[in-house]
């Protein structure tokens, strides 16, 4: 899941048929509405990193001031731009979560839903994971929020705890929510809220 080639193949149109039209890793918007809308209002600038072709950014744009859906698959982003060419406040951008082209302290909320899990599926993920987290932290406003949706439980975080709580990250772990899983082998997935220090 960590390679661009995998995702380009995943989104590619073949035999005139696009696959899939929309796909949400873990949850669709309605399942996350309460958590997301607790932190989003008409003044919010939010970015969904590793957005894929999820409808979450489209739904967030109904409320937030500015919504960015960022993904490193050019095929995916082109499809989303074509499907949603004129939604006010919504932009789809090709980008790399380890080096995003946004100014420091730009976003009120950064969210990701499975992006870091995909990164961690590779054998040598440590460097890329830490770079991703440092970049996410950089673009957050002081007092801003990082919403990390993942399968990984709090005790151990799938080996990621030392990275999510790395000293270079200027945030604190806040509320943790368990969300009933919609498939797979486990009963719950999780949402970790990291709050950037002011």
């Amino acid at each position: 899941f960590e390679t661009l080639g995998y995702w380009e193949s995943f989104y590619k149109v073949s035999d005139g048929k696009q696959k899939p039209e929309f796909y949400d890793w873990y949850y669709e918007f309605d399942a996350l509405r309460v958590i997301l809308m607790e932190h989003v209002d008409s003044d919010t600038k939010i970015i969904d990193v590793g957005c894929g072709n999820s409808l979450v950014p489209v739904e967030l744009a109904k409320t937030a001031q500015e919504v960015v859906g960022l993904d490193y698959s050019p095929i995916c982003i082109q499809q989303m731009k074509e499907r949603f060419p004129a939604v006010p406040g919504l932009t789809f951008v090709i980008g790399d979560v380890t080096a995003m082209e946004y100014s420091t302290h730009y976003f009120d909320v950064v969210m990701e839903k499975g992006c870091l899990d995909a990164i961690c599926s590779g054998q040598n993920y440590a460097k890329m994971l830490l770079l991703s987290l440092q970049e996410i932290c950089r673009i957050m406003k002081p007092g801003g929020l990082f919403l990390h949706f993942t399968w990984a439980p709090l005790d151990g975080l799938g080996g990621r705890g030392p990275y999510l709580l790395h000293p270079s990250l200027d945030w604190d772990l806040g509320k943790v929510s368990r969300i009933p899983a919609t498939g797979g082998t486990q009963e719950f997935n999780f949402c970790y809220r990291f709050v950037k220090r002011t």
Side-chain angles (χ1 to χ4, degrees):
F1 297 125
E2 82 279 15
T3 66
L4 177 58
Y6 173 86
W7 292 107
E8 291 288 80
S9 176
F10 183 83
Y11 295 117
K12 187 176 181 181
V13 175
S14 59
D15 297 328
K17 187 174 182 182
Q18 190 170 306
K19 52 168 193 176
E21 184 176 12
F22 301 108
Y23 178 79
D24 275 285
W25 196 309
Y26 300 133
Y27 301 100
E28 295 179 358
F29 178 78
D30 284 344
L32 303 177
R33 181 186 302 273
V34 172
I35 291 174
L36 292 172
M37 300 316 294
E38 180 183 346
H39 307 291
V40 175
D41 60 30
S42 61
D43 295 323
T44 304
K45 294 180 180 180
I46 181 170
I47 183 169
D48 181 357
V49 298
C51 66
N53 59 5
S54 167
L55 291 176
V56 168
V58 180
E59 292 294 329
L60 289 171
K62 294 176 181 177
T63 302
Q65 176 185 346
E66 180 179 351
V67 180
V68 175
L70 180 137
D71 201 280
Y72 79 154
S73 166
I75 291 174
C76 172
I77 292 300
Q78 184 59 38
Q79 290 171 356
M80 295 304 279
K81 285 181 175 180
E82 289 170 1
R83 290 176 189 152
F84 303 101
V87 176
L90 177 63
T91 308
F92 288 100
V93 177
I94 300 166
D96 179 350
V97 68
T98 68
M100 292 183 275
E101 296 183 4
Y102 292 96
S103 60
T104 299
H105 304 159
Y106 187 82
F107 289 99
D108 300 290
V109 180
V110 178
M111 67 163 287
E112 70 82 29
K113 184 165 58 80
C115 177
L116 297 183
D117 292 340
I119 288 170
C120 289
S121 69
Q123 290 183 346
N124 300 307
Y125 67 83
K127 180 178 179 182
M128 190 169 177
L129 176 60
L130 185 56
L131 286 172
S132 299
L133 292 167
Q134 288 169 336
E135 187 67 351
I136 287 168
C137 190
R138 180 189 69 79
I139 64 173
M140 291 167 61
K141 291 180 180 178
L145 189 71
F146 171 41
L147 297 172
H148 172 43
F149 294 93
T150 179
W151 62 266
L154 184 60
D155 52 343
L157 286 167
R160 285 174 256 168
Y163 301 98
L164 287 160
L165 301 172
H166 194 272
S168 67
L169 302 172
D170 193 22
W171 61 34
D172 295 302
L173 177 60
K175 185 176 179 182
V176 178
S177 298
R178 292 194 319 168
I179 309 167
T182 56
T185 59
Q186 61 188 55
E187 189 177 356
F188 293 97
N189 291 313
F190 300 88
C191 174
Y192 298 99
R193 296 165 176 83
F194 293 88
V195 180
K196 187 158 182 179
R197 298 177 194 125
T198 55

